[in-house]
Amino acid sequence: MEVTGVGHRFFLKPICGCWMVLGVRSPYGLDIIENCKTCPVREDRLFCNLNPAALEDLQHIKSTATYPKGAMLFVEGQESRGAFILCKGKGKLYTSSSEGKTIILRIALAGEVLGLTATIGNKPYEATFELLEPSQMNFLPKADFLKFLTKHGEAGLHVARQLSSNCNIAYEEIRRLGLSASAAEKFARIILHWAGSEVESGHKEIRITVSLTHEEIAQMIGSSRETVSRLFADFRRKQLISTKGTSLFLRDIPALQRMLVQ
């Protein structure tokens, strides 16, 4: 059942004879899940798959909001206020030099907790987080979140797993930037990374969606926008890839893999 309110649409479901609010349609077209306990993807998320008691306490300390593309949730060097759960959407974590050069550290996807290191260590945020599309975020104030982790050991373990995952991603990024011999190798490495396990599937062609601009891809591989544009043209000419809108087709996986320095 659907009912309308001022600027929102509410989705209701009968549970035990009562109509319960499942979600809210935000101005950005997102179906908002207000209650963590009724989140349909909670069990698939590294941090959010908690026991009922922990979920109840998490529900009490978090605040939910939606943000448009381009919104910055925190800025490098800013005093940490707390952590953010990215419920829906995606964003980029990046760092910049005083000269204005920017490197994207990684793309954060739904289910990740952002600002963990700064919040737990009581230090400034080490990077800037900017949304790449309209997103739902749950904010966890620092003091409340630290008390929550102290009370619920399971949540602390989930945080440790998230930090371990972040560390592994950082190692891979350092390898990609530091050990690749050329911009072409960096570009081949990152598009193969985006394809994930599909690379080993044996499919002749793999389709992935790339919503990043050439400038943002350049910031991920430590290059320039002009170089990335030339790489796209060169890879298309060699029939390694083809593009259509935001779709990128990997047409010759073995040739792309041969470009990587092992």
Side-chain angles (χ1 to χ4, degrees):
M1 177 180 178
E2 179 182 327
V3 296
T4 58
V6 180
H8 298 85
R9 283 188 292 170
F10 299 84
F11 298 87
L12 309 179
K13 181 179 180 179
I15 299 177
C16 298
C18 298
W19 287 98
M20 305 295 291
V21 177
L22 291 185
V24 180
R25 177 64 57 84
S26 81
Y28 307 114
L30 297 171
D31 291 335
I32 305 305
I33 303 298
E34 296 281 1
N35 193 327
C36 294
K37 294 183 290 185
T38 60
C39 176
V41 294
R42 175 177 60 81
E43 295 182 357
D44 300 327
R45 303 286 171 80
L46 179 61
F47 176 76
C48 301
N49 188 18
L50 299 169
N51 64 64
L55 274 178
E56 184 68 33
D57 285 348
L58 181 67
Q59 182 68 23
H60 287 312
I61 67 170
K62 63 94 174 174
S63 57
T64 300
T66 57
Y67 299 89
K69 175 182 177 180
M72 293 184 182
L73 276 296
F74 51 82
V75 178
E76 181 179 0
Q78 175 188 5
E79 180 180 353
S80 58
R81 300 177 291 112
F84 297 81
I85 302 175
L86 179 56
C87 298
K88 292 186 178 183
K90 62 182 177 181
K92 58 181 179 180
L93 276 166
Y94 63 90
T95 182
S96 302
S97 69
S98 57
E99 292 79 23
K101 184 176 181 180
T102 296
I103 292 179
I104 294 179
L105 304 174
R106 63 187 176 91
I107 303 299
L109 303 175
E112 293 192 44
V113 185
L114 290 307
L116 274 178
T117 304
T119 299
I120 293 175
N122 196 29
K123 297 181 180 297
Y125 293 115
E126 65 275 13
T128 298
F129 181 62
E130 180 181 339
L131 294 174
L132 293 170
E133 62 187 35
S135 302
Q136 175 187 344
M137 307 292 300
N138 281 350
F139 175 64
L140 308 171
K142 182 192 295 185
D144 292 337
F145 184 49
L146 294 179
K147 290 178 183 177
F148 171 77
L149 294 179
T150 300
K151 179 179 180 180
H152 298 284
E154 179 190 17
L157 179 59
H158 287 198
V159 164
R161 289 172 176 166
Q162 175 77 73
L163 291 173
S164 175
S165 175
N166 293 349
C167 188
N168 288 334
I169 292 172
Y171 288 150
E172 180 60 31
E173 293 301 303
I174 292 170
R175 176 182 176 85
R176 178 171 54 80
L177 287 173
L179 300 183
S180 298
S182 65
E185 182 188 343
K186 293 177 183 178
F187 184 57
R189 189 180 295 277
I190 197 169
I191 60 178
L192 286 170
H193 172 71
W194 288 339
S197 59
E198 285 290 306
V199 171
E200 309 300 330
S201 66
H203 295 157
K204 184 177 180 180
E205 182 176 276
I206 296 174
R207 175 187 175 275
I208 57 178
T209 300
V210 180
S211 56
L212 300 173
T213 65
H214 286 195
E215 178 71 25
E216 288 170 329
I217 295 173
Q219 291 170 354
M220 293 193 73
I221 66 174
S223 187
S224 66
R225 180 186 60 78
E226 293 79 11
T227 296
V228 169
S229 296
R230 286 197 297 269
L231 287 169
F232 266 100
D234 185 49
F235 277 39
R236 281 194 293 260
R237 180 176 56 80
K238 294 178 179 178
Q239 298 187 351
L240 299 174
I241 65 171
S242 61
T243 56
K244 184 177 182 181
T246 59
S247 294
L248 173 64
F249 299 89
L250 279 57
R251 302 183 60 188
D252 194 337
I253 305 297
L256 288 168
Q257 291 175 321
R258 287 194 295 269
M259 297 178 66
L260 308 185
V261 176
Q262 302 300 322

